[in-house]
Amino acid sequence: MRNDLKEILLTEEEIQEICERLGRVLTEDYKDKNLFCVGILKGSILFMTDLIKRIDTPLAIDFMDVSSYHGGTESTGEVQILKDLGSSIENKDVLIIEDILETGTTLKSITELLQSRRVNSLEIVTLLDKPNRRKADIQAKYVGKVIPDEFVVGYGLDYKEEYRNLPYIGTLKPEIYTK
């Protein structure tokens, strides 16, 4: 798998430093609040696991599985909810945990849906942000790293369900996804 990468963008150590930094900020911002973390499957699972271990305040977790890529390399803009939350988020301070924020179309749909459920507050934390790809009017309050417009894989991020298990994040060689 390593041979399919053009370069390593974030090492394991850099990812853990980001989780530490964000964990400290989130601990401060959510102390004395009713924190409910929503992981967006499947890509966010590794980031969410490492991040919540560093949030030193009580919290609950759940997951949503949504799809807008449908097997391709770009969001189609059509969002499908494959798995919704299993518990109520009413009167909770919801933190959406995402692996990457690109066009924002998927997250925009998710935030609108979750806000309609009478939450106290709703914010987004993302490991990676590609602001130059944004199509929807949405921003993450908490960002691990802003990255260039390249196709990245590893640490939960995939191409056709592969590469998620890489312990770091790398840019995929274009010849891999343009075959």
Side-chain angles (χ1 to χ4, degrees):
M1 287 190 303
R2 173 65 177 102
N3 292 334
D4 294 347
L5 300 181
K6 186 168 62 172
E7 67 177 321
I8 294 176
L9 192 61
L10 282 174
T11 66
E12 290 180 72
E13 295 77 19
E14 290 170 323
I15 292 168
Q16 294 311 310
E17 288 170 11
I18 288 169
C19 291
E20 285 285 340
R21 174 178 51 85
L22 290 172
R24 283 191 305 272
V25 172
L26 292 166
T27 296
E28 184 62 30
D29 287 0
Y30 285 93
K31 70 180 178 190
D32 304 321
K33 292 194 176 183
N34 197 0
L35 181 56
F36 193 98
C37 297
V38 176
I40 306 301
L41 297 173
K42 299 175 189 165
S44 73
I45 195 156
L46 296 178
F47 175 51
M48 182 173 182
T49 300
D50 286 339
L51 179 64
I52 64 171
K53 290 188 285 186
R54 292 165 172 90
I55 301 173
D56 189 19
T57 192
L59 58 84
I61 65 169
D62 203 345
F63 297 92
M64 290 184 77
D65 191 359
V66 297
S67 175
S68 65
Y69 283 76
H70 311 298
T73 60
E74 291 192 27
S75 175
T76 64
E78 176 190 325
V79 178
Q80 263 185 308
I81 297 177
L82 306 174
K83 181 213 175 294
D84 204 342
L85 298 175
S87 52
S88 172
I89 57 172
E90 186 173 346
N91 300 320
K92 305 271 171 77
D93 295 289
V94 175
L95 179 66
I96 297 173
I97 300 177
E98 183 62 292
D99 55 353
I100 188 166
L101 176 52
E102 293 183 270
T103 65
T105 54
T106 303
L107 267 180
K108 182 77 170 166
S109 294
I110 293 169
T111 57
E112 289 170 356
L113 173 66
L114 296 182
Q115 284 174 328
S116 74
R117 295 179 181 177
R118 299 189 300 270
V119 299
N120 285 342
S121 66
L122 185 123
E123 297 294 348
I124 300 165
V125 59
T126 186
L127 176 59
L128 305 174
D129 189 10
K130 286 188 192 178
N132 58 338
R133 302 247 326 154
R134 201 81 75 245
K135 293 179 181 173
D137 182 22
I138 191 163
Q139 301 296 322
K141 181 172 183 179
Y142 309 97
V143 175
K145 183 171 177 69
V146 176
I147 62 168
D149 186 13
E150 295 195 63
F151 197 84
V152 292
V153 295
Y155 194 68
L157 295 150
D158 75 301
Y159 172 63
K160 294 187 175 181
E161 295 299 326
E162 295 180 355
Y163 306 98
R164 290 188 195 277
N165 57 322
L166 291 172
Y168 45 78
I169 296 172
T171 56
L172 197 59
K173 290 177 182 173
E175 58 265 25
I176 301 299
Y177 59 88
T178 57
K179 291 181 193 178

